[in-house]
Amino acid sequence: IMNLNNVGEFNIACRNNQSFNLIKVSEALHEKKVAYIADMISQRANNVKIVLISGPSSSGKTTFSKRLSIQLMVCGLKPLSISLDNYFVNRDETPLDENGEWDFEHLNALDLKLFNDHINKLLSGEEIEIPFFNFENGKRNYKGDKMRLRDENILILEGIHALNPDL
């Protein structure tokens, strides 16, 4: 779009005070693609109940899921979001890696039994109370946040393991 084919051309554009336009065009293109994805989901809304968003740590999953939720609302849908981070086991139950450090990226760092119980209940129309994982004290607790998946809702599920078949 900006006719930049490599890092050298990008650097020249930045030196020529084009960085503002580069940023704005990049953000607009991203938003346009998110809107396109939301349109595709809304066209299949009768058959889609869950959208899974996955990626490595700090890749923008939460930000993307929030942007997608807004675009789904524009399409007339009512998204609900769940972060897999809230299903972490308490820190003292977190698996350790080969160096004896906590391995938060291991599938068993999640309370799979609770998570699957909640997903099954949601898909059956039951209400659940969403846990909240407190990263400061390493414990999962509850704040009274309830959720029920109704016909007009679509569930956005985001986390490192959202696309993991073993989830």
Side-chain angles (χ1 to χ4, degrees):
I1 292 172
M2 299 291 294
N3 292 320
L4 303 174
N5 298 308
N6 55 55
V7 174
E9 291 176 5
F10 173 79
N11 287 337
I12 291 168
C14 289
R15 277 194 299 264
N16 291 334
N17 297 318
Q18 291 181 312
S19 56
F20 180 79
N21 286 343
L22 290 168
I23 292 167
K24 292 302 179 190
V25 167
S26 178
E27 288 177 348
L29 181 60
H30 185 262
E31 201 61 39
K32 183 176 182 177
K33 288 182 178 185
V34 174
Y36 175 73
I37 292 168
D39 288 342
M40 289 187 344
I41 293 168
S42 72
Q43 290 170 5
R44 296 190 255 169
N46 292 336
N47 299 317
V48 175
K49 286 314 280 179
I50 302 177
V51 174
L52 306 171
I53 299 170
S54 187
S57 292
S58 300
S59 62
K61 296 177 295 295
T62 302
T63 300
F64 177 80
S65 67
K66 288 177 181 178
R67 286 180 150 184
L68 181 62
S69 290
I70 296 296
Q71 291 294 339
L72 288 169
M73 285 188 258
V74 169
C75 293
L77 298 174
K78 296 182 179 175
L80 300 173
S81 296
I82 292 180
S83 171
L84 281 172
D85 287 359
N86 286 324
Y87 287 87
F88 275 129
V89 296
N90 290 334
R91 187 130 329 122
D92 60 348
E93 300 171 46
T94 302
L96 302 177
D97 65 15
E98 61 277 357
N99 298 320
E101 302 289 328
W102 291 309
D103 188 355
F104 298 110
E105 295 188 5
H106 193 285
L107 181 62
N108 291 329
L110 300 173
D111 186 338
L112 299 175
K113 183 176 185 290
L114 177 65
F115 171 76
N116 283 295
D117 179 59
H118 278 185
I119 293 299
N120 285 323
K121 284 180 176 174
L122 284 171
L123 292 173
S124 297
E126 296 178 51
E127 183 178 81
I128 63 165
E129 184 175 1
I130 300 290
F132 171 77
F133 189 79
N134 183 325
F135 285 92
E136 289 180 26
N137 67 18
K139 296 191 183 295
R140 186 177 56 225
N141 51 49
Y142 294 85
K143 296 179 170 183
D145 295 333
K146 309 253 178 170
M147 180 183 288
R148 180 186 307 262
L149 195 59
R150 302 186 191 286
D151 289 341
E152 67 271 13
N153 296 125
I154 188 161
L155 182 62
I156 309 266
L157 178 65
E158 63 93 0
I160 292 173
H161 290 287
L163 292 171
N164 185 334
D166 293 331
L167 183 65

